[in-house]
Amino acid sequence: MKQRSSIIGSVEALPHRVASHLSREIEGGDIIPGARLPTESQLADKFGVSRNVVREAIAQLRADGMIEARQGVGAFVMAPEQRTAIRIDREALKDQRNMEQLFELRSILETESATLAAARCTPDDLDAIKAALDRMGGEERWEDGSIEADLLFHRAIARATGNSYIYTFISFVCEQIRQSIHYARLTNPLHDLVEVNVAEHVRIYDALATHDPQAAGEAMRRHIDGAASRVGVELTAKINRGK
Amino acid sequence: MKQRSSIIGSVEALPHRVASHLSREIEGGDIIPGARLPTESQLADKFGVSRNVVREAIAQLRADGMIEARQGVGAFVMAPEQRTAIRIDREALKDQRNMEQLFELRSILETESATLAAARCTPDDLDAIKAALDRMGGEERWEDGSIEADLLFHRAIARATGNSYIYTFISFVCEQIRQSIHYARLTNPLHDLVEVNVAEHVRIYDALATHDPQAAGEAMRRHIDGAASRVGVELTAKINRGK
DNA sequence: CTTGCCTGAGTTGTAGGATGACCCTATGAT
DNA sequence: ATCATAGGGTCATCCTACAACTCAGGCAAG
């Protein structure tokens, strides 16, 4: 293949690199919302790639709602508030401050999730939650599998709310946190003492089983806050809690 | 252009249609996680489009983390829980049940948002919130602009929490609801009585200005519940509220 | 038999060019 | 002044060709 000179980094596939580059330009404010992007041909020249690659990059950005393309006119960048998708940048999660914020959001969602689940969960839901709990306390203890079981536990509760959006959002947030921790462990092997506190989970389960919304919410809140501090995140300024 | 026979619907652009079709097949369980997709050529034949279109479709799905492609091997579908993005299908929001769930999620997020904002907001934050409030009560009343001002109001509060994820999630949820209402109004012109209740907003603002977290949270909760019922959504089973 | 290399088929990644569909504007006729 | 039309610019789609990569199977040396 003809060797082309590229102005961007390495490793990742070309469309992804172009998309990231454009994304950064937009996030950084180099291109203001409403403005038109250069034409596909111009971008292809600029990045030293084929127009096909540019189109795939734009396809990704468009899927995020970051860009809207109008045939015969051009591609325009959208205001960040009207994105049709939520994506969390993996890089951003390496920042401890972002982890704090993510845990705070998780605390909010999960607390209410437990509260709703306590009021609405069916016997089947309880079975699923119990199953995850058993996996956690079983032989998979301290293993990687226990983290999976932990995720399963929280997802099962979210499912029991009967609200698919709550389930989606919680799954998403938890997964981001999990991957972030996983990454941190790779770079710093000492980190694998993120033990799962089984007792806390049992307390949550008991509250759910007895259909006690308030107790479930409070147990969950304590659990999330504890989990946060266990990975080095302190949820500060917890007003309005324990009201 | 050569006329090709397509097995899929109409209107939207080809790559988006292909992506939606594949997405539905994956969500529906026709293709289990871990399995390999047909080759790009096969998909191109199947859908009656060029391989290029298939590639753009896959680029979208890959951006969502729904699919992972490995050069020389194939494309594989990922487990739904480890998506790197959240997207809400516009079609799904036409279902009233989904709107209920979305409003329930919004109620949770916004209530806590107001609570946190009351404790953390700076004078600058209050100014921004006040500005949105003024726009609402001003001449833009009953107009489309008042809805924009309403969004501005809620986003300003979310920003005052100092938590960028809370801001992102609330912006996202609000925008989904706004667009859904906008769409409903197009199909049913009688719907434009979604008046903005200024008094409720003032009450929220006052609570924020006096840094009263509990009052802010409660005012916001009432406001969201009221807004929900105004567009025909009843938030049922509101346990754990007013505790 | 085992090991290692090599080759070839299959698949995704990229390039580049051609054409259709669409939007906007300027030009010119009415 | 108004409207129809032509032209150029842009995205949408298609096509073909080739590069890069993976994997499995053949094959020869040990």
Side-chain angles (χ1 to χ4, degrees):
Chain A
M1 189 192 305
K2 194 190 306 179
Q3 185 66 9
R4 308 186 61 147
S5 66
S6 175
I7 68 170
I8 30 187
S10 54
V11 195
E12 280 275 15
L14 255 32
H16 182 266
R17 274 192 272 168
V18 172
S20 299
H21 195 275
L22 288 175
S23 171
R24 273 197 300 274
E25 277 189 353
I26 293 174
E27 303 282 2
D30 298 344
I31 314 177
I32 60 175
R36 218 198 69 179
L37 255 59
T39 70
E40 294 176 350
S41 306
Q42 288 170 339
L43 288 174
D45 289 345
K46 176 181 174 187
F47 291 121
V49 299
S50 81
R51 210 187 124 215
N52 244 327
V53 170
V54 172
R55 279 193 63 78
E56 278 190 42
I58 290 181
Q60 292 178 216
L61 296 177
R62 206 159 37 150
D64 292 353
M66 191 179 294
I67 280 181
E68 188 189 42
R70 292 211 299 269
Q71 183 173 181
V73 185
F76 301 83
V77 339
M78 307 288 284
E81 283 79 10
Q82 52 198 28
R83 302 281 163 79
T84 63
I86 289 183
R87 165 154 311 113
I88 292 181
D89 186 9
R90 200 62 49 84
E91 293 299 311
L93 291 179
K94 293 176 187 167
D95 182 2
Q96 188 73 357
R97 172 109 189 84
N98 286 67
M99 276 296 274
E100 285 174 21
Q101 296 188 358
L102 202 55
F103 259 106
E104 182 172 80
L105 175 58
R106 186 186 170 192
S107 176
I108 294 169
L109 288 172
E110 293 251 34
T111 299
E112 211 70 16
S113 168
T115 305
L116 291 175
R120 298 176 183 172
C121 64
T122 66
D124 281 353
D125 291 329
L126 278 175
D127 286 347
I129 297 167
K130 185 73 164 58
L133 192 59
D134 290 341
R135 271 191 58 182
M136 232 178 301
E139 61 214 33
E140 309 198 39
R141 202 164 185 159
W142 318 132
E143 291 301 320
D144 239 25
S146 71
I147 295 182
E148 288 306 321
D150 182 53
L151 280 179
L152 228 54
F153 180 79
H154 289 278
R155 279 207 297 265
I157 293 175
R159 188 181 291 282
T161 64
N163 188 318
S164 60
Y165 293 120
I166 292 179
Y167 176 78
T168 301
F169 276 53
I170 286 182
S171 294
F172 180 68
V173 170
C174 287
E175 184 61 25
Q176 298 303 316
I177 291 175
R178 189 186 72 81
Q179 291 186 10
S180 179
I181 291 175
H182 180 70
Y183 178 83
R185 207 196 296 193
L186 287 182
T187 58
N188 179 9
L190 296 179
H191 247 284
D192 56 0
L193 23 88
V194 278
E195 74 181 61
V196 177
N197 189 327
V198 180
E200 287 179 357
H201 287 92
V202 170
R203 207 172 306 134
I204 295 170
Y205 174 75
D206 287 343
L208 292 173
T210 56
H211 297 282
D212 183 341
Q214 186 163 351
E218 283 175 10
M220 179 63 88
R221 181 184 350 114
R222 270 200 305 276
H223 169 54
I224 301 291
D225 291 356
S229 71
R230 243 170 275 140
V231 297
V233 170
E234 283 308 324
L235 294 183
T236 57
K238 296 275 86 179
I239 51 289
N240 189 39
R241 295 311 177 74
K243 59 190 166 189
Chain B
M1 187 192 304
K2 195 190 307 181
Q3 185 66 10
R4 308 186 60 144
S5 65
S6 174
I7 67 170
I8 31 187
S10 56
V11 196
E12 280 274 16
L14 255 36
H16 182 265
R17 274 191 274 166
V18 172
S20 299
H21 195 276
L22 287 175
S23 170
R24 274 197 300 275
E25 277 191 351
I26 293 174
E27 302 282 3
D30 297 346
I31 313 178
I32 62 175
R36 218 198 70 179
L37 256 59
T39 71
E40 294 176 351
S41 306
Q42 289 170 339
L43 288 174
D45 289 345
K46 176 181 174 186
F47 292 122
V49 299
S50 80
R51 198 183 138 215
N52 237 324
V53 170
V54 172
R55 280 193 63 79
E56 277 190 42
I58 289 182
Q60 293 177 216
L61 298 178
R62 208 163 32 154
D64 292 354
M66 191 179 293
I67 280 181
E68 187 188 43
R70 292 210 300 268
Q71 182 172 187
V73 186
F76 300 82
V77 336
M78 308 287 286
E81 280 78 13
Q82 54 197 30
R83 302 282 162 76
T84 64
I86 288 183
R87 168 158 309 113
I88 292 181
D89 187 7
R90 200 64 48 84
E91 293 299 311
L93 290 179
K94 292 176 187 166
D95 181 0
Q96 188 74 356
R97 172 112 187 83
N98 286 66
M99 276 296 275
E100 285 174 21
Q101 296 187 357
L102 201 56
F103 259 106
E104 182 171 81
L105 175 58
R106 185 185 171 195
S107 176
I108 293 170
L109 288 172
E110 293 252 33
T111 299
E112 211 70 16
S113 167
T115 305
L116 290 175
R120 297 176 184 174
C121 65
T122 66
D124 281 354
D125 291 330
L126 278 175
D127 287 346
I129 297 168
K130 185 74 164 57
L133 192 59
D134 291 341
R135 272 191 59 183
M136 233 179 299
E139 62 214 33
E140 308 198 42
R141 202 164 185 157
W142 318 132
E143 291 301 320
D144 239 25
S146 70
I147 295 182
E148 287 305 321
D150 183 53
L151 279 179
L152 228 54
F153 180 79
H154 289 278
R155 279 206 297 264
I157 293 175
R159 188 181 292 281
T161 63
N163 188 317
S164 59
Y165 293 118
I166 292 179
Y167 176 78
T168 300
F169 276 54
I170 284 181
S171 295
F172 179 68
V173 170
C174 286
E175 183 62 24
Q176 298 303 317
I177 290 175
R178 190 186 71 80
Q179 291 186 12
S180 178
I181 289 176
H182 180 69
Y183 178 84
R185 209 197 294 192
L186 287 183
T187 57
N188 179 10
L190 296 179
H191 247 284
D192 56 359
L193 24 86
V194 278
E195 75 181 59
V196 177
N197 188 326
V198 180
E200 287 179 358
H201 287 91
V202 170
R203 207 171 306 133
I204 294 169
Y205 174 77
D206 287 343
L208 291 173
T210 56
H211 297 284
D212 184 341
Q214 187 163 353
E218 283 175 12
M220 179 63 87
R221 182 186 350 115
R222 271 201 305 275
H223 170 54
I224 300 292
D225 291 356
S229 71
R230 245 171 274 141
V231 297
V233 171
E234 284 308 324
L235 295 183
T236 57
K238 296 274 82 178
I239 52 289
N240 188 39
R241 295 310 175 76
K243 58 188 165 188

